[in-house]
Amino acid sequence: MKRITIAIDGYSSCGKSTMAKDLAKEIGYVYVDSGAMYRAVTLFAMREGLIRDGKIDEEALRKRLGDINISFKFNPTTQRPDTYLNGELVEEEIRSLPISSNVSPVAALPFVRKAMVEQQKKLGREGGIVMDGRDIGTTVFPNAELKIFVTASDEVRAQRRFDELKAKGDSCDFGEILRNVRERDYIDTHREASPLRKAADAVELDNSEMSIAEQKEWLLSQVKMRTGSL
Ligand code: DC
């Protein structure tokens, strides 16, 4: 069977990662969460004191970029890849609210994007990959055989993030999460470097009212159309 490249883009918290991970597992492809890479850079910058009160020391971060090594390792228990920053498992920490609140400005920096996109292109050289993010179908893999653009309403997305954090035992406030979702949408769609937008040849999926099972069926039918089989 032909092993294609699948690019999944869309707004924050619309379930792209879960969808991409499950799809990759189902069809035996490699999954890469490109957002995790921007989150790991943000964690590094925060730990090193390169972000203070939301202000990024861009020059210092640019100089330290070479000290940031991001890798993924498949976790047999969760059946999903975990993110490592310089060899340290940071999967949990990069999903916390402080990182979510600081990641969009970091991801908007052109030198950060350039470095991450280079790594992402390398990871996808062989095909047989599902990558999710904001610019995968437009910048990272403009020739991907299947491009999906995912949307859902702001409230549905904030509720999903709220449930996720609550399940982990994090204390959180729905209003704050909704504000964070809207703020990230704004930064992601208005930044100069590779803003979030639907690629002309992407198929749109609004999953506000869809069950996981319906979504999975829809995704598999899209893959089947591109590969001729599963
Ligand atoms: O998908 P996520 O919420 O984990 O992404 C974290 C942030 O990184 C989000 O603000 C958008 C940004 N991002 C990006 O700019 N480009 C990508 N390919 C992936 C994520």
Side-chain angles (χ1 to χ4, degrees), residues 132-195:
D132 79 309
R134 304 294 188 285
D135 60 340
I136 311 305
T138 53
T139 306
V140 181
F141 301 132
N143 298 321
E145 287 89 346
L146 174 57
K147 297 181 186 177
I148 296 166
F149 191 81
V150 198
T151 63
S153 73
D154 308 356
E155 287 80 8
V156 165
R157 291 184 288 130
Q159 188 65 48
R160 287 178 186 161
R161 181 61 54 120
F162 179 83
D163 294 343
E164 205 176 276
L165 290 169
K166 217 170 150 199
K168 273 196 264 171
D170 283 6
S171 63
C172 47
D173 171 66
F174 181 79
E176 191 186 340
I177 293 173
L178 184 59
R179 265 194 306 282
N180 177 252
V181 162
R182 289 182 173 151
E183 199 175 278
R184 283 207 288 158
D185 286 355
Y186 186 86
I187 301 177
D188 293 346
T189 49
H190 287 80
R191 68 179 178 223
E192 267 184 41
S194 309

Side-chain angles (χ1 to χ4, degrees), residues 1-227:
M1 180 189 88
K2 188 175 157 203
R3 288 172 68 78
I4 62 169
T5 298
I6 303 175
I8 302 187
D9 289 302
Y11 294 95
S12 64
S13 305
C14 56
K16 289 185 308 295
S17 303
T18 309
M19 167 190 317
K21 272 176 215 167
D22 292 348
L23 175 64
K25 191 170 160 238
E26 182 83 23
I27 61 179
Y29 279 26
V30 169
Y31 164 65
V32 176
D33 173 357
S34 67
M37 299 171 75
Y38 293 99
R39 287 173 178 271
V41 173
T42 307
L43 175 62
F44 177 89
M46 289 179 76
R47 281 181 174 174
E48 297 293 315
L50 308 179
I51 303 179
R52 285 182 200 279
D53 300 325
K55 189 159 174 4
I56 309 166
D57 184 341
E58 291 184 29
E59 255 341 283
L61 179 59
R62 189 197 302 269
K63 283 195 193 119
R64 300 291 309 275
L65 219 50
D67 298 337
I68 306 177
N69 184 285
I70 302 161
S71 55
F72 297 98
K73 216 185 280 171
F74 191 74
N75 179 330
T77 312
T78 59
Q79 290 281 303
R80 287 163 180 195
D82 281 337
T83 311
Y84 287 75
L85 169 63
N86 294 333
E88 178 193 344
L89 177 63
V90 292
E91 185 59 34
E92 283 264 317
E93 208 172 342
I94 59 169
R95 313 283 165 196
S96 65
L97 200 52
I99 299 295
S100 297
S101 303
N102 283 284
V103 63
S104 283
V106 172
L109 295 171
F111 64 89
V112 171
R113 301 205 69 79
K114 185 167 177 281
M116 295 302 114
V117 169
E118 257 168 37
Q119 289 190 31
Q120 289 153 8
K121 282 182 190 275
K122 270 188 208 154
L123 291 167
R125 258 193 314 234
E126 319 269 312
I129 188 167
V130 183
M131 191 177 289
D132 79 309
R134 304 294 188 285
D135 60 340
I136 311 305
T138 53
T139 306
V140 181
F141 301 132
N143 298 321
E145 287 89 346
L146 174 57
K147 297 181 186 177
I148 296 166
F149 191 81
V150 198
T151 63
S153 73
D154 308 356
E155 287 80 8
V156 165
R157 291 184 288 130
Q159 188 65 48
R160 287 178 186 161
R161 181 61 54 120
F162 179 83
D163 294 343
E164 205 176 276
L165 290 169
K166 217 170 150 199
K168 273 196 264 171
D170 283 6
S171 63
C172 47
D173 171 66
F174 181 79
E176 191 186 340
I177 293 173
L178 184 59
R179 265 194 306 282
N180 177 252
V181 162
R182 289 182 173 151
E183 199 175 278
R184 283 207 288 158
D185 286 355
Y186 186 86
I187 301 177
D188 293 346
T189 49
H190 287 80
R191 68 179 178 223
E192 267 184 41
S194 309
L196 167 66
R197 62 180 176 81
K198 179 173 171 278
D201 52 349
V203 210
E204 190 164 333
L205 168 69
D206 182 340
N207 68 9
S208 306
E209 309 282 331
M210 260 181 164
S211 70
I212 299 279
E214 285 166 344
Q215 181 170 280
K216 184 172 164 190
E217 199 182 317
W218 183 90
L219 284 167
L220 289 175
S221 71
Q222 292 294 323
V223 175
K224 214 166 173 177
M225 269 194 264
R226 296 336 187 263
T227 59

